Amino acid sequence: MIPPQEASARRREIEDKLKQEEETLSFIRDSLEKSDQLTKNMVSILSSFESRLMKLENSIIPVHKQTENLQRLQENVEKTLSCLDHVISYYHVASDTEKIIREGPTGRLEEYLGSMAKIQKAVEYFQDNSPDSPELNKVKLLFERGKESLESEFRSLMTRHSKVVSPVLILDLISPDDELEVQEDVALEHLPESVLQDVIRISRWLVEYGRNQDFMNVYYQIRSSQLDRSIKGLREHFRKSSSSSGVPYSPAIPNKRKDTPTKKPVKRPGTIRKAQNLLKQYSQHGLDGKKGGSNLIPLEGHEHDFRVKHLSEAPNDKHGPLAGRDDMLDVETDAYIHCVSAFVKLAQSEYQLLADIIPEHHQKKTFDSLIQDALDGLMLEGENIVSAARKAIIRHDFSTVLTVFPILRHLKQTKPEFDQVLQGTAASTKNKLPNLITSMETIGAKALEDFADNIKNDPDKEYNMPKDGTVHELTSNAILFLQQLLDFQETAGAMLASQVLGDTYNIPLDPRETSSSASSYSSEFSKRLLSTYICKVLGNLQLNLLSKSKVYEDPALSAIFLHNNYNYILKSLEKSELIQLVAVTQKTAERSYREHIEHQIQTYQRSWLKVIDYIAEKNLPVFQPGVKLRDKERQMIKERFKGFNDGLEELCKIQKAWAIPDTEQRDKIRQAQKNIVKRTYRDFLDRFGNVSFTKNPDKYIKYQVEQVGDMIDRLFDTSA
């Protein structure tokens, strides 16, 4: 049971807490009442503010809308005024620009183009807004007049400032100076820079705004004329320079060096002077050739007759009747070769200029038109060369035909550059050079074949034969012609290959060496063709020489003639690359010629048998030493001496007038013959020199052994 004091204390404590809770509850209740009151007051204030805002909005919105309308009206008025000013300005364009248009664009291109822009805008405005306005016709006429003035200015600038490129500059362009360690590119300035910029601006305006392409025709016509005249000027430069000094010159570019430039001879890409000076002229005569035998692949050809001039007629005489003609051929050849190179360089330069002025999609067509006159001129001249060569073949004038070789070689060397320059042009333009090359290859092959046939069929007329049995001019001409081909091995081989002469020469065609294009024949195959051709010429020459040798009545002179010619051929082959070229298809050619030469020496030596037979031991009388000779025996010895003396004198007299130009061969033949005759004569003298067969021995023993040797030493020496 809880004590009363604790219960009382506990009750007081509880009562105190209850009182505190009641006070807290009362405070919360009062606070809630105040909060409710404040909330009511705030709601009242907000409601009042909302009401006022609504009133304000209802008052302001109409004002705002009215102000916005006023601002829009103001903007419209300003725009209207601006448009009116803009429109009114179009009506003043004609009067404002008429003076500028009338005076033209010369010297004021920027201002002029600005005026043209204004006129164009006026035209567009009136077309869109007032197509029936008289102002439209006025600005249209002004625009057309301005466009015509720009076209005229374009033509004037191109005409006044397009200059022909000087021959000296062209030669420096295509023939760089080897003396300069570092080669400098020769730049061509076709138009001054300021003029070029004006031309570019006019061309772009005419394309973009003028809707005009006529200026492109003007451009190519003017530039085409300059290109053609530049190349013709170079050709004329060659002719004039050659006529005055013999060699065209090209001074170095003045601004390249500080010292005074000296004149330099133009490089000649392939002259033919050597052969032209010696292969003078072939002229027809109606005489048939004869056939002989040969082991150098003689091939049958068409029968042609020709006669050559003798070497004695001074073929090297520069003042002879054909000297000027040969020089002219040489000049024309060099001129054409340089003109071809000049065309490539100038055409490249023209395209660079054209690319800045003509729109890209018109460049190829314009360039094609631009180069036509110059290109056609070159091709026409090339065809004239072919035509002249064709006529020369008919005349058998092979010195003229030789002009084709250096030209064709240069054309083929230049063809890659040609093809690059002509990229994008018409097929007919691209095919012009290949067609010319084909024509030259065809006529060249024809010339080679005709030359071989003519070598075979040169007539054997007696007046055409050297009286001393020396080298026939036919032989020297043939060798010189073949030596000339050494400078054009690839060209001549390609000529033969272009005619598919492999079948003619029985040369098997390796698929790796050939293709559908003649130019695709391998160099090895072309070399074999050329080797076979040279062997054919040599074989035909041998056939003809054998036939010619029969003109001589004396077999010994015939042998000397063949010996001289065979020896000349062999020496000429050995001194040049011809022997290596012949060896490609004829391994035994050198040995064969040596055998021919030796055979002719033996044939010649037989001419002395009739002399030696008089004193040969087999024909001498037999008698006993110390026994007196009978009259018959003495007479026989006398006849032997007389026959030997007469035969020796006759042969020495005749053969003294013969010639063996080769000193080594001449000495060899003399020595061999001298040894035989001296040995036989010495034996004869030893046997009969002291025999009493006559009362007048000096009458029969006219010569001592050494005297006989001296007489033989004077053979083949017309000066002795």
Side-chain angles (χ1 to χ4, degrees), residues 6 12 18 40 45 48 99 119 195 202 232 246 282 314 316 364 368 374 464 470-471 520 530 560 631 650 654 669:
E6 293 182 2
R12 282 194 301 275
L18 180 59
K40 289 179 181 179
I45 291 171
S48 175
K99 181 180 178 182
I119 296 171
V195 174
I202 294 174
K232 289 179 178 177
Y282 291 86
N316 286 315
K364 295 296 184 182
D368 196 343
N464 196 37
T470 190
V471 178
S520 299
L530 183 58
I560 290 297
D631 291 342
E650 181 183 3
I654 294 172
I669 292 174

Side-chain angles (χ1 to χ4, degrees), residues 446-500:
K446 171 66 174 172
L448 291 175
E449 284 301 290
D450 270 30
F451 183 82
D453 291 338
N454 289 333
I455 290 295
K456 178 181 178 181
N457 298 301
D458 180 51
D460 305 332
K461 289 300 291 182
E462 188 173 342
Y463 62 77
N464 196 37
M465 297 295 292
K467 304 302 182 183
D468 55 2
T470 190
V471 178
H472 197 282
E473 189 176 3
L474 174 69
T475 303
S476 62
N477 284 345
I479 294 299
L480 286 169
F481 187 88
L482 296 180
Q483 288 175 339
Q484 184 68 18
L485 294 184
L486 288 175
D487 295 332
F488 306 101
Q489 290 187 44
E490 292 185 6
T491 304
M495 285 178 176
L496 297 170
S498 69
Q499 304 305 305
V500 198

Side-chain angles (χ1 to χ4, degrees), residues 172-188:
D172 285 324
L173 184 67
I174 63 179
S175 302
D177 193 346
D178 291 336
E179 296 178 1
L180 293 178
E181 293 183 2
V182 179
Q183 295 296 338
E184 300 179 18
D185 292 334
V186 180
L188 292 179

Side-chain angles (χ1 to χ4, degrees), residues 321-361:
L322 293 173
R325 174 174 171 271
D326 289 339
D327 289 341
M328 184 174 297
L329 281 174
D330 216 8
V331 170
E332 292 296 332
T333 300
D334 285 345
Y336 186 74
I337 287 172
H338 280 81
C339 286
V340 170
S341 296
F343 173 81
V344 173
K345 294 296 184 183
L346 293 177
Q348 289 172 342
S349 181
E350 286 292 344
Y351 192 84
Q352 293 173 357
L353 177 66
L354 175 144
D356 292 331
I357 298 174
I358 304 300
E360 184 176 0
H361 55 286

Side-chain angles (χ1 to χ4, degrees), residues 68-78:
E68 186 178 12
N69 290 334
L70 289 174
Q71 289 176 341
R72 187 177 296 111
L73 288 173
Q74 183 180 4
E75 290 176 359
N76 290 338
V77 169
E78 291 176 353

Side-chain angles (χ1 to χ4, degrees), residues 118-170:
K118 293 179 182 179
I119 296 171
Q120 183 181 6
K121 290 180 180 178
V123 171
E124 292 172 353
Y125 170 78
F126 288 120
Q127 284 178 336
D128 294 339
N129 298 281
S130 184
D132 298 329
S133 171
E135 291 295 331
L136 175 60
N137 294 330
K138 190 173 183 180
V139 292
K140 268 188 173 181
L141 290 174
L142 197 58
F143 182 82
E144 290 300 321
R145 187 189 307 168
K147 185 171 72 171
E148 290 174 0
S149 295
L150 283 173
E151 293 172 357
S152 177
E153 178 70 4
F154 182 89
R155 179 188 294 274
S156 176
L157 289 174
M158 291 299 302
T159 302
R160 284 188 288 114
H161 297 282
S162 291
K163 305 297 182 184
V164 174
V165 183
S166 70
V168 170
L169 186 56
I170 295 175

Side-chain angles (χ1 to χ4, degrees), residues 394-441:
I394 297 174
R395 301 192 309 269
H396 305 146
D397 177 9
F398 292 94
S399 64
T400 300
V401 177
L402 283 171
T403 60
V404 172
F405 285 77
I407 291 173
L408 177 58
R409 179 175 65 182
H410 187 70
L411 289 179
K412 297 182 79 170
Q413 290 173 345
T414 312
K415 187 176 182 298
E417 290 184 90
F418 244 100
D419 293 341
Q420 184 177 5
V421 169
L422 300 183
Q423 279 183 354
T425 57
S428 58
T429 302
K430 293 178 182 177
N431 290 334
K432 287 181 179 180
L433 180 64
N435 290 341
L436 178 59
I437 289 175
T438 299
S439 296
M440 286 194 170
E441 285 186 333

Side-chain angles (χ1 to χ4, degrees), residues 373-391:
D373 286 347
L375 182 59
D376 286 344
L378 283 177
M379 296 302 107
L380 178 59
E381 190 171 354
E383 290 298 337
N384 289 339
I385 292 171
V386 173
S387 178
R390 188 176 291 110
K391 294 176 182 177

